[in-house]
Amino acid sequence: MQEGVGLTGDAHARAEGLANQAAGTAQDLYGRAADTARQTATTLDGLQRHNIETEPYTSAVMAFGIGWLLGRMHRSL
């Protein structure tokens, strides 16, 4: 009887350890994805700021074009 309980406890402990390991891996992946997204947003923000400061008219025309296209998407043909 005690051996059966011991094996069950051991299997339970192993399963719990695997679950904790999986949770840790998931948290690590989430952290890496969040860091990558933050870095990408910072890079895109810097690129956008540079383009607006160096080519304001081109940026304005592009913004107008994107706005016009987005506005057309909501209209029926």
Side-chain angles (χ1 to χ4, degrees):
M1 180 75 176
Q2 288 179 349
E3 289 177 4
V5 172
L7 288 175
T8 303
D10 190 40
H12 177 70
R14 269 188 272 150
E16 188 173 326
L18 289 173
N20 288 339
Q21 186 178 10
T25 302
Q27 287 176 345
D28 182 51
L29 289 173
Y30 174 78
R32 288 183 187 188
D35 289 342
T36 301
R38 206 172 293 115
Q39 289 172 353
T40 302
T42 302
T43 302
L44 290 175
D45 181 52
L47 179 63
Q48 183 180 13
R49 285 180 187 273
H50 174 74
N51 284 341
I52 290 172
E53 290 172 358
T54 58
E55 301 177 21
Y57 295 115
T58 303
S59 299
V61 169
M62 289 178 65
F64 174 77
I66 291 171
W68 183 79
L69 287 172
L70 289 174
R72 296 292 295 167
M73 288 174 57
H74 293 291
R75 292 185 183 176
S76 61
L77 296 174

